């Protein structure tokens, strides 16, 4: 009889699935600007545009990572 009481005191856990919905903004593809220039200034502006797109991408990845924590 003692062994039956020991089983009754065990805590039972129920598994629960939690799903997160990401914002559509986080999943939108980024536009890769095309280079249309001939001068060093044009190339610099193109590089700055690419850098901005990478920053936006990194911000989105950081947001997604925070949602998954």
């Amino acid at each position: 009889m003692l062994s039956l009481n020991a089983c009754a005191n065990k805590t039972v856990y129920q598994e629960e699935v939690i799903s997160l919905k990401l914002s559509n903004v986080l999943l939108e593809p980024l536009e890769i600007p095309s280079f249309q220039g001939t001068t060093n200034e044009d190339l610099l502006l193109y590089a700055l545009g690419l850098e901005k797109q990478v920053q936006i991408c990194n911000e989105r990845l950081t947001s997604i990572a925070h949602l998954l924590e």
Side-chain angles (χ1 to χ4, degrees):
M1 192 71 152
L2 183 59
S3 62
L4 292 177
N5 287 336
C7 292
N9 291 332
K10 288 186 178 180
T11 305
V12 177
Y13 295 96
Q14 182 176 2
E15 188 174 312
E16 182 178 347
V17 177
I18 299 173
S19 61
L20 300 173
K21 183 174 180 180
L22 297 176
S23 170
N24 289 337
V25 173
L26 297 176
L27 301 176
E28 288 178 5
L30 293 174
E31 180 183 331
I32 299 173
S34 60
F35 179 65
Q36 305 204 0
T38 55
T39 66
N40 286 338
E41 180 183 9
D42 295 336
L43 184 59
L44 176 63
L45 292 174
Y46 176 72
L48 291 173
L50 289 177
E51 182 179 36
K52 182 62 178 170
Q53 294 294 60
V54 170
Q55 288 173 348
I56 291 169
C57 184
N58 286 337
E59 289 170 3
R60 289 179 180 181
L61 289 173
T62 301
S63 296
I64 292 170
H66 286 302
L67 286 173
L68 298 177
E69 289 178 345

